[in-house]
Structures are given as structure tokens and as C-alpha cells.
Amino acid sequence: MTTPVSLADQAAMRQQLGRPMRGLVAVGHRCRCGLPDVATTAPRLPDGSPFPTTFYLTCPRKNAAIGTLEASGLMARMQERIQQDADLAASYAAAHEDYLARRAQLGEPEEIAGISAGGMPNRVKCLHVLAAHALAAGPGINPLGDEVLALLGPESAQPCVSTEESGK
């Protein structure tokens, strides 16, 4: 699900990240509180640089919790599983293709052709990207992203940043 970006969304993401979002084209997902938690970015940034990270997690709470999961060794365990489980590997490869197809709707810089994000389709490199893809695409598209989100537990209805400052 993507929605247009309002000035309040831009302000919220700037506050979430501590800087303006680069290449922002849409809100890829909103958390329970209504603020953006995933930004959809252009595959080429305004300065001309190719940017494969189409779905960018902006929520500082989710980013911190996922950082803890990464530090726990979860990526290595997931990596082992995709090497040992053919069905999981096939689902993860399908997630890679979904990611590429969604990015292609925004443009296709040749420098990043066939490159998605998060290590897909053969590695597990960034849980933040996998979770952002799962949020933007919806359940059942990115199996490892879905697992990460399940480990985070229920979302808070409380905004991660002050909505007064973000203009909401």
C-alpha cells in the first residue's frame, strides 16, 4: 500500500530519521498511530545516484528493535535456514522478484538491475529492509520480513515522534 506524501508526512519522517528523506515518492506503510513507518523511495536519488532500497523503514522504535534482533544473531540463523529449507529459499526468492517488480514501477536504473535489498535472494543482510518490504507489500510476500515483524510484537498506538512537531 502506498499513499501520497503530505507535508506532515515529510516532517514526521524528518523527525524520525533526524534528516530529510532522500528520493521520497510515497508513504509505503503507516503504523497504528497513523504516522509513516515505511518510505517508498525512487530507484535514482535526486543527485543521480542509483538507490536500490525502495522500502526504507523510518520508525525509530522499529529500527531500534530490529537492530536488537540483528545483534542477537538472527540474520545468521535465517541465512542458515534459507540454505537448508528449499521452500523457504523459494519464497525468499519470490520476495526478491516482488521487490524488483515494485521498484520497476518507479524506474529501472541499469546500475542496480537485478539487485533488490536486504541480501535477497540468497543472503540475509538487513532485517530493516526485509521488514520494510513486508510492511509495504503486506503479509505473505516476504517470509523473513514477516518473521521479523512477528518478533517485534504488537505496534504501539502512541506515535514514535511528536505529532505536533511533525505537523500532524
Side-chain angles (χ1 to χ4, degrees), residues 47-102:
D47 70 1
S49 305
F51 192 65
T53 307
T54 304
F55 303 109
Y56 196 98
L57 194 64
T58 61
C59 174
R61 283 188 192 144
K62 287 182 180 82
N63 276 322
I66 291 170
T68 299
L69 291 174
E70 286 185 344
S72 78
L74 181 59
M75 290 185 301
R77 291 189 303 276
M78 288 178 161
Q79 179 69 44
E80 286 177 22
R81 286 177 48 224
I82 63 171
Q83 291 171 340
Q84 296 170 357
D85 182 334
D87 291 338
L88 179 60
S91 293
Y92 194 53
H96 163 75
E97 293 301 326
D98 178 82
Y99 200 100
L100 294 176
R102 290 174 193 269

Side-chain angles (χ1 to χ4, degrees), residues 153-164:
E155 290 183 340
S156 171
Q158 296 296 317
C160 59
V161 295
S162 169
T163 55
E164 290 176 19

Side-chain angles (χ1 to χ4, degrees), residues 76-145:
R77 291 189 303 276
M78 288 178 161
Q79 179 69 44
E80 286 177 22
R81 286 177 48 224
I82 63 171
Q83 291 171 340
Q84 296 170 357
D85 182 334
D87 291 338
L88 179 60
S91 293
Y92 194 53
H96 163 75
E97 293 301 326
D98 178 82
Y99 200 100
L100 294 176
R102 290 174 193 269
R103 184 177 68 215
Q105 294 174 359
L106 303 170
E108 296 188 75
E110 66 181 52
E111 303 96 318
I112 55 174
I115 299 169
S116 57
M120 294 185 286
N122 301 313
R123 296 183 312 144
V124 179
K125 185 175 145 187
C126 178
L127 300 182
H128 298 82
V129 169
L130 302 181
H133 180 218
L135 287 167
I141 302 298
N142 190 316
L144 298 183

Side-chain angles (χ1 to χ4, degrees), residues 1-27:
M1 172 188 91
T2 61
T3 59
V5 182
S6 69
L7 291 176
D9 292 334
Q10 291 177 42
M13 286 186 263
R14 186 177 322 107
Q15 194 175 356
Q16 289 170 326
L17 297 171
R19 61 171 173 76
M21 191 68 220
R22 300 177 307 154
L24 182 62
V25 295
V27 174

